[in-house]
Amino acid sequence: MRSFLSSSSQLLSLAVLAISPVLAVWPVPETISTGTKVLWVDQSLHVTYNGQPLPWIYPCAPSTGAAKFSSKQIVQGAVARAAQYVLKDNFVPWMLYERNALADSEPSPHKDKKLLQRLVITQTGNDTVTTFKAKAGEVDESYKLAVTEEGVARITAVSSIGVIRALESFSQLFFKHSGGQIYSNLIPVQISDKPQYDHRGILFDAARSYFSVDSILKTIDALAWNKLNRMHLHISDAQSWPMEVPSLPLLAEKGAYSPNARYTPEDLALIQAHAVERGVQVFIEIDTPGHWGITYEAYPDVVAAWGATPWQDYCAEPPCGQLKLNHPAVDPFLDTLMDDVLARTAPYSAYHHTGGDEVNFNAFALDETVGTNDSTVIQPLLQEFFDKHHARVRKHGMTPLVWEEVVLHYNVTLGDDVVVHSWLGGESVGEITAKGHKVISSNYNYWYLDCGRGHWLNFANGAAFEQFFPFNDWCTPAKGWRLVYSYDPRAGLSEEQAKLVIGGEAAGWSEYIDEYNIDTILWPRASALGEVLWSGRIDSHTGQNRSQLDAAPRLAEFRERMVARGVGSAPVHMPFCTQGRNATACEYIPDA
Amino acid sequence: MRSFLSSSSQLLSLAVLAISPVLAVWPVPETISTGTKVLWVDQSLHVTYNGQPLPWIYPCAPSTGAAKFSSKQIVQGAVARAAQYVLKDNFVPWMLYERNALADSEPSPHKDKKLLQRLVITQTGNDTVTTFKAKAGEVDESYKLAVTEEGVARITAVSSIGVIRALESFSQLFFKHSGGQIYSNLIPVQISDKPQYDHRGILFDAARSYFSVDSILKTIDALAWNKLNRMHLHISDAQSWPMEVPSLPLLAEKGAYSPNARYTPEDLALIQAHAVERGVQVFIEIDTPGHWGITYEAYPDVVAAWGATPWQDYCAEPPCGQLKLNHPAVDPFLDTLMDDVLARTAPYSAYHHTGGDEVNFNAFALDETVGTNDSTVIQPLLQEFFDKHHARVRKHGMTPLVWEEVVLHYNVTLGDDVVVHSWLGGESVGEITAKGHKVISSNYNYWYLDCGRGHWLNFANGAAFEQFFPFNDWCTPAKGWRLVYSYDPRAGLSEEQAKLVIGGEAAGWSEYIDEYNIDTILWPRASALGEVLWSGRIDSHTGQNRSQLDAAPRLAEFRERMVARGVGSAPVHMPFCTQGRNATACEYIPDA
């Protein structure tokens, strides 16, 4: 029996790990022990939830978008998806067994075929409205899962979100036989699990490129498979404004790339409700006061420096544009905007991201209400701006998020409730937590997944070509999954500061990404982040950083699961490295 | 009328180009002029081929794999695919028109609707067996295409391959209307076109990762859309041997990753015939004597240094293995192998790639028939090896290809017929052509599409981790399409040497690639190579290198076409940069 229990001594755990890595389940649970007995599963599985029977096979209706969630509906949906993933969207793991050894490695479906007969789900706590739109720390995602040789699986969790997490782990115990039947060869199983970070997500940029609602829903599904629980939807930027705002209709009419490239209020509700049903919270970012351009076409009074050139003097990338800081039209505009949008997002989400990155002070020199790039003039205006803007967020019972420049570069004093989003790496996380703020990290050196694909600007022959050849982007090279996996956002912090790091996000800025390549951008790299944030960078059993050699076989297996479920993840390894789940076949051993 | 005719003065061409870039058709034809009149097209188009009617709508049967090709069947298939691409797999180009301007930019399908009535195809030469398995220079791919306002399209070409190229250009003139109808707004059209290079392809590594036959066929389709005409199928390597060889059955039985991950003789014939029908030649590489490992499991007598460690002393990547140089079993083994394989590939292909890269002399010290890494001992053995091996290729009427190390590093003297494949960049192409050899280039600094995604090896915590952090691969960073587009394999060569550069290949080594991410790896970057090799890096009208500002709008348009046809190409630009086809919106202007 493979063992990786916390009760084992560290030495034993390491020794056992070396000869047989823990199989299945990404991200790795806090404790997991698996055996080598076989159980088969089919459509006859009998499921109960708090003693009441639930259908195992159930026609999953799409989300209605309504912000009313019942625990039973949540659990029923999760059970039905588990059935889909176990019985249908599963894979024959030829690439995990030794070469040509599948036939000898699979269990025989013809003799002593023992079925998993019962799945007993017990929820020990009551869900509340907060469960479905929780701030960090407000929902208990822990669960226990046991599967016995006798054919009984038991899930226990405090909340329905914990049940969702348990069913995901449960679904990852099963494989498809080459004859089509479904089995687990890891029985008995004992799992006890809970996350190390509360905020585990991706930043999805639906402003620079347009993504269909279906492609966003599919990405939310994949987040849940990875036990990620946040989608930060960056829904406006200088280049486009795809979100319909009924009280300010010109925003999308003028700002969306096309009438077919808009998100209606119903689309947004559907996205958020679909996410809640999977234990994922979608919160939106309307970036202010920078990254704000195209709205000039709709409401020119509130925008300065629209299309200013040379753009590199006025913004981080074309086209330029910034909210004016002192124009009388801005406050009523933002009041209207926030009341409209937040009234609709607050039922599904505890957070609203107010942006604040890459504000360019030169652009304020073109703002007739400021007229200078002098920071002594601008700083108090920015203080006032964020004070008022965050009040708009709090008015709807939500918690504001800001990018770190607001506090670190513009010296704005923020409310204690404000969560700061760090991306610049270096000492940032330490500096923010030293100020007492909660922080989430998207350190670009590790967790910017769009980096390193070549520059997206055009360079004319001549000076521009010569200067920028070979046309690398600002954050080249690309971050491989091993680099993503190596980052510990709490590293080097005091215990008190570490507690303020509530999580992180992998970013997929979409200058070069749309729905046709998003899968290979996000996966398996956001899965690597998923394990860091769920399981922790440090293995609590060994006290050491987790090893690529432990992660690679499990991630390679999980990647095949994602592909089988319809998400086109890039590979983790060629089959030579995955066969036999032997990560040392492709290990680099330094010269002595 | 937009004009980019060679008859125009250079000054006029440039002036016209500046205000309205030539639309449609990737790679750009030698000369093209387009107008602004509209023609609609539907199922009623009347097609003739050399005066005989051909169906426009025709049920495309899959290739039979047989090596008998008739011109009429080739042309019928190309016509039917053009109908599919024009009428069904087409796209509404909202992302090419100005924002929200689609409705105003589309022609009205309700008034003065003029139909394209006739497509008149004239082939002026006779195809021969050589047409379908041509060496460089042996087939005429040129064509002329004219579409008149009166509703007649005329294609003239010497060969059926030229007709295929013309039909591809023809298909790219049409768009889908938001109401579903199909139109071209570029009428009248006059195109005269021919390629600048004869060998235009990709290197497809089906050894390190397994690709389904369907995924290979789809990639061949996309090659043809790009007027690429070669797929170099790297079909064996140290990690796996997926090709069934009936006379040496253990090769695939032991060497394939799985019984389901093999290419049967019928699979290979299907792949090659499917390609011929699209004007693409698939030739295979069986790399020798390096990159040769897993066959040890089948025929141990012929393999040295299998699995030798530390691998970095004996090969370029794990697992090590090299053909023995002096064992009596090797010649009969290779005689059998080549007779079996080449008898089956020769009907479809003029080339066989014999490999020769990254031979590690230390591995010969573990070869008991050599017993040393002394190059004075090894060089004459390598000379004898390639003399005999190339004779095996010539015996089947084929031309050998080798990697450049054979001639530049091992000092082997090659037959004049041998084409040398360069990948190391620098002065290589000059040195090879100085020796009088024909050359194809895959300069890794520009045309290795697998680079820059992070290292694929695992690094244990401790010394390996510290040494290799942040885990970049050897050829990082990734090569963006602009860098791919910037490489001119004939640059800096004498006219005589330049003539010896017959083309190039974009390489997709598959340590990190399989059929789920191959599309975003290859496209649009191999499209950029496609234009360099078809149209030339230098615009013959201006005498200057082609500009990214000219290429970007056309490539962005063509990318949408590839997506509509089912290949998930990565984007060229976010819509902000493509709308209005105005590449200068996303141009970098250096500070004065």
Side-chain angles (χ1 to χ4, degrees), chain A residues 94 98-102 178 208-210 238-241 252-262 294 306 310-313 317-319 446 452-461 463-465 467-472 476-483 486 510-517 520 525 537 544-549 552-553 559-560 563 568-577 579 582-591, chain B residues 94 98-102 178 208-210 238-241 252-262 294 306 310-313 317-319 446 452-461 463-465 467-472 476-483 486 510-517 520 525 537 544-549 552-553 559-560 563 568-577 579 582-591:
Chain A
W94 65 263
E98 296 289 350
R99 189 180 305 238
N100 288 315
L102 178 66
S178 51
R208 290 189 174 84
S209 284
Y210 174 72
Q239 292 87 0
S240 94
W241 184 293
E253 282 176 29
K254 299 283 188 183
Y257 280 133
S258 142
N260 296 322
R262 294 187 198 166
I294 190 64
W306 167 237
W311 58 261
Q312 54 267 43
D313 291 349
E317 70 180 32
Y446 298 85
R453 317 182 93 69
H455 212 296
W456 61 272
L457 288 169
N458 294 316
F459 300 90
N461 289 342
F465 185 103
Q467 187 186 335
F468 271 85
F469 180 91
F471 319 118
N472 291 326
T476 197
K479 321 304 172 199
W481 75 259
R482 291 174 182 79
L483 182 58
S486 74
S510 66
E511 286 90 347
Y512 249 157
I513 302 174
D514 67 11
E515 65 186 89
Y516 298 100
N517 67 331
T520 68
R525 296 186 295 159
R537 171 70 184 128
Q544 304 294 312
N545 282 332
R546 295 180 193 282
S547 163
Q548 296 171 16
L549 292 162
R559 182 266 179 170
E560 298 303 325
V563 167
S569 166
V572 170
H573 264 318
M574 57 182 152
F576 174 75
C577 307
Q579 286 193 316
N582 179 10
T584 59
C586 293
E587 178 182 358
Y588 180 82
I589 309 282
D591 287 316
Chain B
W94 65 264
E98 296 289 349
R99 189 180 304 238
N100 289 315
L102 179 66
S178 51
R208 289 189 175 84
S209 286
Y210 174 73
Q239 292 87 0
S240 95
W241 184 293
E253 282 175 29
K254 300 284 187 182
Y257 281 131
S258 144
N260 295 322
R262 294 187 198 165
I294 190 63
W306 168 236
W311 59 259
Q312 53 267 45
D313 291 348
E317 69 180 32
Y446 298 85
R453 317 182 94 68
H455 211 296
W456 61 271
L457 288 170
N458 295 316
F459 299 91
N461 288 342
F465 186 102
Q467 188 185 334
F468 271 85
F469 180 90
F471 320 117
N472 290 326
T476 198
K479 320 305 173 197
W481 76 259
R482 291 174 182 78
L483 182 58
S486 74
S510 66
E511 286 91 348
Y512 249 157
I513 303 173
D514 68 10
E515 64 186 272
Y516 298 100
N517 67 332
T520 67
R525 295 186 295 160
R537 172 72 184 125
Q544 305 294 313
N545 282 332
R546 295 180 193 282
S547 163
Q548 295 171 17
L549 292 162
R559 181 265 179 172
E560 299 303 324
V563 167
S569 167
V572 170
H573 264 319
M574 57 182 150
F576 174 75
C577 307
Q579 287 193 316
N582 180 9
T584 59
C586 294
E587 178 181 359
Y588 180 81
I589 309 280
D591 286 317

Side-chain angles (χ1 to χ4, degrees), chain A residues 164-184:
Chain A
I164 291 174
R165 305 293 175 242
L167 285 164
E168 178 54 41
S169 294
F170 173 76
S171 75
Q172 293 183 21
L173 301 173
F174 296 92
F175 300 94
K176 184 181 280 185
H177 189 278
S178 51
Q181 307 92 334
I182 306 294
Y183 68 95
S184 175

Side-chain angles (χ1 to χ4, degrees), chain A residues 364-382:
Chain A
F364 291 130
L366 303 185
D367 171 355
E368 77 281 8
T369 71
V370 181
T372 177
N373 65 2
D374 181 345
S375 63
T376 62
V377 175
I378 293 167
Q379 195 279 335
L381 291 170
L382 281 172

Side-chain angles (χ1 to χ4, degrees), chain A residues 68-348:
Chain A
K68 289 197 65 168
F69 304 101
S70 86
S71 304
K72 187 178 170 190
Q73 279 177 339
I74 293 270
V75 171
Q76 174 65 82
V79 166
R81 286 192 301 279
Q84 172 81 14
Y85 299 146
V86 168
L87 299 178
K88 285 194 68 182
D89 300 342
N90 211 328
F91 71 107
V92 178
W94 65 263
M95 74 298 291
L96 305 180
Y97 291 112
E98 296 289 350
R99 189 180 305 238
N100 288 315
L102 178 66
D104 298 332
S105 306
E106 290 182 315
S108 165
H110 302 299
K111 59 170 187 189
D112 303 331
K113 194 171 164 182
K114 204 164 192 175
L115 272 184
L116 179 68
Q117 293 172 311
R118 293 164 57 208
L119 170 57
V120 180
I121 302 170
T122 307
Q123 185 180 331
T124 59
N126 290 320
D127 296 332
T128 68
V129 170
T130 302
T131 307
F132 305 120
K133 45 177 261 186
K135 291 196 192 64
E138 290 187 341
V139 66
D140 186 330
E141 297 183 78
S142 71
Y143 69 93
K144 290 188 195 307
L145 166 64
V147 189
T148 68
E149 291 182 47
E150 289 70 36
V152 180
R154 290 182 199 281
I155 285 171
T156 313
V158 175
S159 73
S160 62
I161 310 301
V163 175
I164 291 174
R165 305 293 175 242
L167 285 164
E168 178 54 41
S169 294
F170 173 76
S171 75
Q172 293 183 21
L173 301 173
F174 296 92
F175 300 94
K176 184 181 280 185
H177 189 278
S178 51
Q181 307 92 334
I182 306 294
Y183 68 95
S184 175
N185 54 0
L186 302 167
I187 309 300
V189 176
Q190 290 245 31
I191 295 175
S192 175
D193 203 8
K194 69 171 193 289
Q196 294 297 311
Y197 292 84
D198 293 317
H199 188 112
R200 311 179 305 275
I202 62 163
L203 185 163
F204 194 100
D205 177 2
R208 290 189 174 84
S209 284
Y210 174 72
F211 294 80
S212 67
V213 172
D214 279 349
S215 72
I216 296 174
L217 299 184
K218 190 75 194 169
T219 297
I220 291 167
D221 294 350
L223 293 176
W225 306 338
N226 285 275
K227 297 190 175 75
L228 293 164
N229 68 350
R230 295 286 188 269
M231 176 184 271
H232 166 175
L233 197 58
H234 181 86
I235 204 164
S236 72
D237 213 303
Q239 292 87 0
S240 94
W241 184 293
M243 177 176 54
E244 290 186 9
V245 180
S247 58
L248 295 164
L250 291 179
L251 282 172
E253 282 176 29
K254 299 283 188 183
Y257 280 133
S258 142
N260 296 322
R262 294 187 198 166
Y263 303 109
T264 65
E266 293 74 28
D267 290 336
L268 189 56
L270 172 63
I271 288 167
Q272 292 194 288
H274 179 97
V276 168
E277 292 166 6
R278 284 151 183 82
V280 176
Q281 186 177 141
V282 175
F283 63 90
I284 70 166
E285 175 188 3
I286 298 176
D287 204 345
T288 63
H291 288 275
W292 187 287
I294 190 64
T295 55
Y296 179 88
E297 301 289 350
Y299 301 97
D301 280 356
V302 303
V303 183
W306 167 237
T309 55
W311 58 261
Q312 54 267 43
D313 291 349
Y314 300 100
C315 58
E317 70 180 32
C320 294
Q322 222 156 264
L323 267 176
K324 291 180 184 173
L325 269 197
N326 217 2
H327 191 285
V330 171
D331 277 333
F333 173 85
L334 290 178
D335 289 344
T336 304
L337 174 65
M338 290 292 106
D339 277 344
D340 186 323
V341 171
L342 300 187
R344 291 184 285 110
T345 60
Y348 310 91

Side-chain angles (χ1 to χ4, degrees), chain B residues 292-307:
Chain B
W292 186 287
I294 190 63
T295 56
Y296 178 87
E297 301 289 349
Y299 301 98
D301 279 356
V302 303
V303 183
W306 168 236

Side-chain angles (χ1 to χ4, degrees), chain A residues 477-501:
Chain A
K479 321 304 172 199
W481 75 259
R482 291 174 182 79
L483 182 58
V484 172
Y485 195 68
S486 74
Y487 178 58
D488 183 349
R490 288 179 179 150
L493 299 181
S494 73
E495 199 172 327
E496 199 177 339
Q497 284 179 292
K499 280 184 193 156
L500 292 169
V501 182

